[in-house]
């Protein structure tokens, strides 16, 4: 299970039983284990319940936005929009798979796991003061499923019925009891106002501030340039244990910049306050200046225990050029990670090899035990290497150089029916030259892409870089209009239903889905369904390992690199709890020190570059 990217909110992961023989009555949910926080807990350990409220937090975003409706496929949603909307329950960020009460104060899971009943907190309110009702929950579910982005159809596909129960309950009924994660997925469903949307077209983009129920509401909008949120002082859930010590800043503003280089200079000039960095070069050298040297700007490396995203050059298998796995395997030899890490990244990164790296979910060694049993029925239908060899992308050393790798690549391409004609690689049957485009929306990635292109050129392959703005990029991605692009497939510690959208055959043909790679494999479909039905944590891990291996040896992505930490730079007016959450940077638990803010703002005028 993963967070809904359109919202920036985590998806649930919970279902621990407290209850009767008829149903498991829970005050929260835990997918496989116990709760860290028992009934009566007062706050999360990574939040300071005594944190002062007030101040501002200004952040940056890249590109533009054109909608305040983050639930549909159309448009580019504004940054931070998820904090406007509350969900049935909310996750704990220091546990792998737990959620605690928010709009729903409890959940009753049927003993046969065929239904779950959520009981709503009677105090739950929208920002206009009207109560959140079971009808709002039913309407939200049906609307998201039928009119929302494709991900909702994949998440909610196994729900056969949703109905109100009494004055304050909502029951979801399922196709079967095998999908253990489904009740958890539903618990982080955003709840929208049926009344508000009854006079509006849900399927259209809009810049009208929507009605929500979360800790913030929209205060000001400059279309495409900035959006400002203001903390709701009478937020209905501000005193719930899950919110104590969170959402401390009064005003949050996102300013939009053309690209990351411009945004970094704006940060150093004091135009915004806090920045998450993803460029090793910028982190190593880009912040130097009087403000950093005088201690006005702080840089922190905050470790995390998240599975790293599978970032890499992703093939679009809908293109005939990339349908042969030998071709996909061959092109991986043209990416020299070791050279890039030394010359571009200051040695900061680790090479990615798994779709679930930086966690116990990554497949290593050769399959054994339960994992081997899972894979055995597919022997002969998947590469033999799945059973005999750990997957590792090409690695260049003094003993095995890029020259050796390109030679091996040409051998694979020859087997696939490609040969040199002059200085070009051409198809033996059609005479078609090997050429394609690499689509991207981040100019900083060009320094990674261009050396890769140069190595491809040595293979007789013409790859053309194409950097476009965010809106055009999103449109082309939604329509699968690309040859290759840099993908980032983010995973949680409890993978589940979202794997259908990442890798499922049905998602490959669904416009706007996240199966960007275009994978269509009955074997992968089967492995995904088995993973979703896993009954224990050990069973889940074994199934994830099996899926990981088959994906690795499908050569769908040329893996790039990852970092098991967050890089955060900020003007030194913020304070944060001593304990950090394991799975997020925890910015919503930070607060403003008023005296430090006053000092910082006065010194910005003399310390920042003009």
């Amino acid at each position: 299970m993963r967070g809904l990217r359109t919202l920036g909110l985590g998806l649930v992961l919970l279902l621990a039983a407290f209850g009767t023989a008829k149903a498991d009555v829970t005050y929260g949910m835990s997918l496989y284990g116990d709760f860290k926080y028992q009934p009566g807990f007062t706050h999360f350990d990574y939040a300071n319940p005594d944190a002062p409220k007030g101040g501002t937090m200004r952040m940056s975003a890249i590109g533009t936005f054109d909608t305040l409706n983050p639930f549909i496929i159309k448009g580019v949603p504004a940054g931070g929009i998820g904090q406007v909307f509350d969900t049935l329950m909310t996750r704990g960020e220091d546990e792998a798979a737990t959620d605690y009460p928010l709009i729903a104060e409890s959940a009753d899971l049927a003993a046969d796991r065929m239904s779950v009943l959520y009981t709503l907190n009677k105090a739950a309110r929208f920002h206009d003061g009207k109560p959140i009702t079971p009808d709002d929950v039913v309407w939200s579910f049906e609307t998201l499923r039928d009119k929302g982005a494709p991900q909702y159809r994949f998440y909610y596909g196994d729900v056969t019925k949703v109905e109100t129960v009494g004055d304050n309950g909502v029951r979801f009924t399922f196709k079967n009891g095998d999908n253990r994660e489904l009740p958890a997925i539903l618990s982080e469903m955003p709840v929208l106002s049926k009344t508000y949307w009854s006079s509006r077209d849900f399927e259209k983009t809009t810049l009208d501030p929507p009605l929500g129920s979360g800790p913030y509401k929209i205060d000001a909008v400059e279309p495409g340039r900035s959006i400002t949120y203001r903390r709701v002082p009478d937020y209905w859930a501000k005193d719930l244990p899950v919110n104590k010590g969170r959402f401390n800043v009064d005003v949050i503003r996102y300013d939009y910049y053309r690209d990351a280089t411009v945004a970094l200079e704006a940060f150093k000039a004091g135009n915004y306050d806090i920045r998450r960095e993803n460029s090793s070069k910028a982190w190593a050298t880009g912040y130097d200046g009087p403000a950093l040297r005088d201690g006005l700007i702080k840089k922190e490396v905050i470790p995390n225990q998240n599975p790293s995203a599978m970032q890499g050059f992703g093939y679009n298998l809908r293109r005939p050029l990339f349908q042969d796995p030998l071709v996909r395997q061959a092109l991986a030899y043209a990416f020299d990670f070791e050279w890039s890490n030394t010359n571009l990244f200051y040695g900061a990164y680790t090479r990615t090899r798994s779709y679930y790296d930086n966690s116990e979910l990554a497949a290593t060694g050769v399959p054994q035990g339960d994992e081997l049993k899972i894979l055995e029925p597919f022997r002969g239908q998947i590469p033999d290497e799945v059973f005999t060899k750990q997957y590792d992308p090409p690695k260049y050393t003094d003993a095995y150089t890029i020259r050796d790798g390109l030679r091996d690549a040409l051998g694979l391409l020859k087997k696939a029916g490609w040969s040199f004609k002059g200085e070009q690689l051409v198809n033996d049957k059609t005479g078609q030259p090997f050429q394609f485009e690499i689509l991207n929306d981040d100019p900083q990635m060009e320094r990674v892409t261009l050396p890769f292109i140069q190595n491809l050129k040595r293979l007789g392959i013409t790859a053309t870089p194409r950097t476009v703005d965010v809106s055009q990029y999103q449109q082309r991605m939604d329509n699968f209009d690309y040859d290759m692009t840099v993908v980032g497939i983010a995973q949680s510690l409890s993978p589940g239903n979202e794997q259908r959208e990442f890798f499922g055959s049905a998602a490959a043909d669904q416009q706007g889905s996240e199966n960007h790679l275009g994978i269509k494999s009955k074997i992968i479909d089967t492995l995904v369904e088995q993973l979703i039905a896993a009954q224990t944590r050990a069973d889940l891990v074994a199934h994830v390992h099996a899926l990981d291996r088959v994906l690795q040896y499908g050569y769908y992505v040329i893996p790039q690199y990852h970092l098991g930490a967050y890089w955060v730079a900020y003007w030194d007016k913020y304070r944060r709890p001593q304990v950090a959450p394991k799975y997020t940077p925890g910015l919503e638990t930070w607060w403003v020190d008023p005296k430090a803010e006053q000092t910082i703002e006065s010194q910005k005028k003399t310390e920042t570059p003009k």
Side-chain angles (χ1 to χ4, degrees):
M1 186 167 53
R2 66 180 180 94
L4 288 175
R5 297 201 308 182
T6 53
L7 294 181
L9 295 175
L11 264 170
V12 275
L13 305 149
L14 1 81
L15 267 163
F18 286 9
T20 67
K22 293 182 178 180
D24 291 339
V25 182
T26 70
Y27 80 106
M29 284 192 173
S30 174
L31 191 57
Y32 294 114
D34 296 330
F35 293 104
K36 175 178 180 179
Y37 300 99
Q38 299 302 314
F41 82 99
T42 58
H43 64 279
F44 291 133
D45 288 349
Y46 54 84
N48 175 9
D50 299 319
K53 306 293 185 183
T56 62
M57 181 179 284
R58 294 174 297 173
M59 294 185 281
S60 68
I62 303 301
T64 188
F65 68 93
D66 59 11
T67 185
L68 302 180
N69 179 357
F71 306 106
I72 59 175
I73 189 174
K74 296 178 182 178
V76 179
I81 191 68
Q83 58 202 337
V84 172
F85 306 97
D86 269 342
T87 50
L88 286 172
M89 291 186 169
T90 189
R91 65 178 173 179
E93 298 293 357
D94 54 354
E95 296 174 87
T98 56
D99 272 84
Y100 295 91
L102 190 55
I103 291 175
E105 63 184 10
S106 67
D108 301 341
L109 178 66
D112 59 4
R113 309 184 69 86
M114 288 291 290
S115 68
V116 62
L117 171 65
Y118 290 98
T119 299
L120 306 189
N121 188 325
K122 293 181 180 180
R125 294 286 187 274
F126 290 108
H127 292 153
D128 63 359
K130 294 180 180 178
I132 299 174
T133 69
D135 283 341
D136 292 311
V137 177
V138 172
W139 183 90
S140 298
F141 171 82
E142 293 177 341
T143 302
L144 291 169
R145 180 195 60 193
D146 299 339
K147 299 180 179 181
Q151 62 200 50
Y152 294 106
R153 286 186 279 284
F154 289 106
Y155 287 140
Y156 304 155
D158 286 346
V159 176
T160 59
K161 185 178 181 181
V162 57
E163 59 189 328
T164 63
V165 178
D167 295 333
N168 225 34
V170 181
R171 176 179 286 116
F172 295 88
T173 303
F174 312 137
K175 289 181 180 178
N176 56 59
D178 295 335
N179 191 335
R180 292 184 61 89
E181 190 187 28
L182 187 54
I185 287 175
L186 292 168
S187 75
E188 281 198 18
M189 184 185 75
V191 179
L192 312 178
S193 169
K194 178 181 178 181
T195 301
Y196 173 85
W197 285 103
S198 64
S199 60
R200 294 167 174 83
D201 189 343
F202 185 80
E203 294 181 274
K204 288 187 177 180
T205 61
T206 180
L207 289 173
D208 293 333
L211 178 64
S213 61
Y216 290 90
K217 60 183 177 180
I218 296 170
D219 189 54
V221 178
E222 295 181 76
R225 299 183 61 185
S226 72
I227 183 167
T228 303
Y229 302 92
R230 186 169 295 275
R231 187 169 59 84
V232 178
D234 58 350
Y235 172 43
W236 75 270
K238 62 184 176 65
D239 293 324
L240 291 182
V242 294
N243 287 332
K244 279 288 190 180
R246 301 173 69 210
F247 313 119
N248 303 313
V249 179
D250 277 352
V251 177
I252 298 176
R253 175 181 168 118
Y254 289 81
D255 288 320
Y256 278 75
Y257 296 89
R258 183 180 67 249
D259 58 46
T261 301
V262 175
L264 175 56
E265 293 306 311
F267 171 77
K268 291 161 60 179
N271 293 335
Y272 64 96
D273 306 313
I274 193 163
R275 174 180 172 83
R276 283 183 57 183
E277 186 56 72
N278 58 15
S279 166
S280 58
K281 180 180 180 181
W283 187 251
T285 66
Y287 291 82
D288 189 33
L292 180 69
R293 291 194 291 269
D294 292 346
L296 301 181
I297 289 176
K298 299 291 186 183
K299 294 168 63 182
E300 287 200 47
V301 178
I302 303 175
N304 66 59
Q305 298 180 29
N306 286 319
S308 62
M310 168 51 85
Q311 177 180 306
F313 294 109
Y315 300 102
N316 184 356
L317 271 65
R318 302 169 187 86
R319 299 289 200 253
L321 184 64
F322 295 132
Q323 289 177 1
D324 190 332
L326 287 175
V327 169
R328 303 195 297 268
Q329 181 183 2
L331 267 58
Y333 285 91
F335 179 56
D336 188 346
F337 165 75
E338 287 70 33
W339 182 91
S340 296
N341 201 34
T342 300
N343 293 281
L344 302 178
F345 306 145
Y346 298 83
Y349 291 125
T350 299
R351 182 70 189 271
T352 297
R353 51 165 300 278
S354 164
Y355 284 75
Y356 310 88
D357 248 325
N358 197 44
S359 75
E360 66 171 339
L361 301 172
T364 58
V366 296
Q368 300 178 12
D370 290 341
E371 183 188 349
L372 182 59
K373 292 178 183 178
I374 295 165
L375 290 167
E376 195 62 51
F378 307 112
R379 190 182 288 272
Q381 304 173 64
I382 56 179
D384 291 340
E385 292 89 342
V386 169
F387 298 94
T388 62
K389 184 181 179 183
Q390 173 179 292
Y391 169 80
D392 286 295
K395 180 178 181 179
Y396 295 123
T397 64
D398 292 340
Y400 184 75
T401 66
I402 182 68
R403 184 183 182 91
D404 299 318
L406 295 180
R407 186 182 300 114
D408 289 342
L410 284 173
L412 292 170
L413 291 166
K414 181 66 175 176
K415 290 181 182 179
W418 295 85
S419 302
F420 268 104
K421 187 174 183 180
E423 295 184 355
Q424 280 191 321
L425 194 69
V426 300
N427 188 275
D428 294 339
K429 293 182 179 179
T430 66
Q432 171 194 3
F434 201 128
Q435 53 191 24
F436 63 94
E437 180 183 86
I438 303 178
L439 180 68
N440 196 20
D441 67 341
D442 182 359
Q444 288 197 75
M445 281 302 298
E446 291 178 1
R447 68 194 186 108
V448 180
T449 302
L450 292 178
F452 174 57
I453 288 174
Q454 288 301 312
N455 287 334
L456 290 172
K457 187 176 181 180
R458 294 169 66 181
L459 293 172
I461 295 172
T462 301
T464 304
R466 174 73 168 168
T467 302
V468 299
D469 62 47
V470 173
S471 296
Q472 185 179 354
Y473 179 81
Q474 188 63 55
Q475 182 180 41
R476 290 187 62 175
M477 293 298 290
D478 287 344
N479 292 311
F480 307 128
D481 181 20
Y482 49 90
D483 301 325
M484 175 182 282
T485 188
V486 176
V487 297
I489 306 173
Q491 299 286 358
S492 77
L493 284 166
S494 294
N497 289 257
E498 77 285 349
Q499 307 301 301
R500 290 172 176 161
E501 192 182 5
F502 292 158
F503 311 120
S505 297
D509 296 325
Q510 177 66 58
Q511 184 183 31
S513 86
E514 294 190 55
N515 187 346
H516 299 305
L517 305 172
I519 295 173
K520 282 187 175 183
S521 164
K522 291 182 179 179
I523 293 172
I524 289 176
D525 290 342
T526 299
L527 290 171
V528 167
E529 294 306 312
Q530 291 177 351
L531 180 157
I532 291 171
Q535 297 299 301
T536 65
R537 178 69 185 177
D539 192 24
L540 175 70
V541 171
H543 279 90
V544 174
H545 286 173
L547 174 62
D548 192 21
R549 292 186 196 278
V550 174
L551 290 170
Q552 289 169 337
Y553 278 107
Y555 302 106
Y556 302 118
V557 170
I558 300 173
Q560 291 180 344
Y561 43 81
H562 66 272
L563 176 76
Y566 301 111
W567 288 332
V568 181
Y570 58 95
W571 285 84
D572 191 24
K573 62 180 182 178
Y574 298 102
R575 304 294 178 259
R576 66 185 181 93
Q578 292 183 345
V579 177
K582 294 180 179 179
Y583 307 120
T584 71
L587 296 183
E588 82 281 1
T589 68
W590 292 28
W591 65 90
V592 175
D593 181 328
K595 291 184 179 179
E597 183 174 38
Q598 185 176 11
T599 300
I600 289 293
E601 294 303 322
S602 64
Q603 291 185 321
K604 275 183 180 180
K605 299 176 182 179
T606 58
E607 295 283 353
T608 55
K610 301 294 188 288

